[in-house]
Amino acid sequence: MTGEKTTCGPAQLDKMLTEARRVTPWLAQGASVPQQQVIRDFAKSRAKAVKDIKARLPQRQRAGMPRWKKKRETDPSLNYTQRGFRLKDGRLHLAGGIVLTVVWSRELPTPPSTVRVYRDSIGHWYASFVVATTTAHLPETGRVIGIDWGVRETATTTNSDHDLPHPQHGRTAAQKLAHYQRIMARRRPAKGRAASKGYREAKRKTAKLHKKVARQREDTARKWAKKVVRDHDRIAVEDFRPKFLAKSTMARKAADAAIGATKKALIEMGRKHGREVRLVHPAHTTMDCAQCGARTKHALPLSERTYACTACGAVSPRDKNSARVMLVRAGWCTAGAEGIRPPGSLDSVAA
């Protein structure tokens, strides 16, 4: 033993797979392309997990390996590269003579480079294609908008027509979800024993309801993001990270608002349509005045919903003032509801 660390790259992994297929008959019956991608994805995820653990834990606690999800709890997923699949007559042909009839949600803009076939928690199968991104530019509007995230309203903007109220999808489904979870609690099998039919059915309904709520949140976020992007050329967004809300009394309502997913949908929609999206640091955005730039001398409690500047006397709703602060910090000072900037305001603020 020399004590030197050895790395296992793609070439070494391919050799190991070839040897395993030679001595294992059942492994040789499957296509080699998805098997290669499985071990490469595993190597990448293992390296990332070990790196994350070392970054989080103290020096004396860094020994050990990450805990992997058990096989029976893992949904099947296979990744195929270009030489492992092809599209013909609307069908997906996979390596190994597998032909799938796909229900297309939309047409592919460009030929795909890879495809991942996977099953979700409720047993539905999907094919996710990787294609080159294309920018579909929308007509210029000459308008700008500032967006402030919150819990009472998911998004408050400088244009009241584009405010996003709290959808409360999770609260609507809470009663049914609690009913299924009580059934699971009563019929939970003992350790080492198989689950009953009633327990499996309640578990499936719980997963289906969770999936429905997630889709509702995603649909609401994408529709709102498309409306904002369609009506504005420049978007100033608070770079808000709601992770700290999980430890507060607003954790459930903040999670139901899905602020992180909504912000992600807005950024992706802006990139897709060639709009300029600027992320604004959230520090002191609720304490600054959008009119004169003065900062309050004391922290504002959440119960105080009206912002009153002690310097210039401006009074406005707290979230509306924060949304206008986003425009000021982004360098897009607006003068009126039409979003027309005064001459030289962008240069003076950006400088």
Side-chain angles (χ1 to χ4, degrees):
M1 298 292 291
T2 60
E4 297 180 356
K5 293 183 179 180
T6 59
T7 58
C8 192
Q12 290 77 10
L13 292 175
D14 290 345
K15 290 182 180 179
M16 294 169 60
L17 177 62
T18 301
E19 179 63 22
R21 287 171 59 87
R22 187 181 65 83
V23 299
T24 310
W26 65 265
L27 190 63
Q29 294 178 0
S32 62
V33 175
Q35 294 173 1
Q36 288 176 347
Q37 292 301 123
V38 166
I39 58 178
R40 291 180 183 180
D41 292 345
F42 175 79
K44 290 181 180 179
S45 61
R46 178 183 180 276
K48 184 179 183 299
V50 172
K51 182 179 179 181
D52 292 343
I53 288 177
K54 289 182 177 181
R56 291 195 303 264
L57 297 181
Q59 182 69 29
R60 60 184 179 181
Q61 298 181 3
R62 290 181 180 179
M65 293 290 294
R67 296 180 60 184
W68 305 104
K69 185 180 290 187
K70 296 180 181 179
K71 180 181 178 181
R72 64 175 179 270
E73 299 176 356
T74 305
D75 294 319
S77 174
L78 293 176
N79 192 23
Y80 294 83
T81 56
Q82 277 187 329
R83 62 190 183 91
F85 77 97
R86 64 188 178 94
L87 297 174
K88 183 178 180 181
D89 298 332
R91 291 188 175 186
L92 177 61
H93 296 253
L94 303 176
I98 303 174
V99 182
L100 302 177
T101 301
V102 182
V103 179
W104 297 95
S105 59
R106 57 185 177 274
E107 295 183 359
L108 298 177
T110 56
S113 58
T114 61
V115 60
R116 180 175 292 275
V117 181
Y118 65 94
R119 189 183 68 187
D120 64 1
S121 58
I122 58 178
H124 295 170
W125 287 89
Y126 294 90
S128 177
F129 295 90
V130 177
V131 297
T133 58
T134 57
T135 303
H137 291 278
L138 293 174
E140 296 289 335
T141 63
R143 295 183 177 181
V144 297
I145 189 173
I147 300 174
D148 175 73
W149 305 110
V151 177
R152 177 173 296 183
E153 287 187 341
T154 303
T156 303
T157 68
T158 53
N159 188 346
S160 299
D161 295 336
H162 294 78
D163 290 348
L164 178 62
H166 196 298
Q168 298 185 354
H169 295 306
R171 185 177 181 179
T172 304
Q175 187 174 1
K176 284 187 178 180
L177 183 61
H179 173 67
Y180 297 144
Q181 289 175 340
R182 285 195 297 268
I183 295 177
M184 291 177 60
R186 290 197 301 266
R187 303 181 181 183
R188 186 178 302 277
K191 187 176 181 180
R193 299 188 61 180
S196 64
K197 181 179 179 181
Y199 177 85
R200 294 195 304 268
E201 181 67 18
K203 185 177 180 180
R204 188 189 68 82
K205 290 182 178 180
T206 301
K208 186 176 181 180
L209 189 57
H210 277 297
K211 178 70 71 172
K212 178 181 179 181
V213 173
R215 287 172 174 170
Q216 287 176 329
R217 291 169 178 165
E218 182 181 4
D219 181 69
T220 301
R222 290 184 61 85
K223 287 180 178 178
W224 173 80
K226 183 61 178 291
K227 180 181 178 182
V228 171
V229 169
R230 183 180 62 246
D231 297 342
H232 301 88
D233 297 337
R234 300 177 181 87
I235 306 169
V237 185
E238 180 186 11
D239 192 13
F240 182 67
R241 301 180 182 181
K243 186 176 181 180
F244 75 95
L245 290 175
K247 301 179 181 179
S248 68
T249 57
M250 299 181 295
R252 178 172 302 199
K253 190 171 183 179
D256 195 11
I259 298 175
T262 307
K263 184 180 76 171
K264 180 181 177 182
L266 180 63
I267 295 173
E268 291 178 351
M269 195 67 67
R271 185 186 300 114
K272 177 181 178 181
H273 295 290
R275 300 304 200 193
E276 185 175 358
V277 180
R278 290 190 184 180
L279 298 178
V280 179
H281 197 278
H284 307 295
T285 52
T286 59
M287 301 172 64
D288 290 354
C289 177
Q291 299 294 333
C292 64
R295 181 171 298 172
T296 58
K297 302 299 181 181
H298 62 283
L300 299 177
L302 289 176
S303 58
E304 189 173 341
R305 306 311 303 171
T306 302
Y307 180 88
C309 181
T310 56
C312 65
V315 179
S316 64
R318 173 176 175 159
D319 294 338
K320 288 292 182 181
N321 177 76
S322 299
R324 286 191 287 267
V325 170
M326 304 302 160
L327 290 178
V328 174
R329 292 192 179 183
W332 301 326
C333 295
T334 59
E338 296 299 324
I340 302 174
R341 290 180 287 111
S345 62
L346 179 59
D347 298 334
S348 61
V349 177

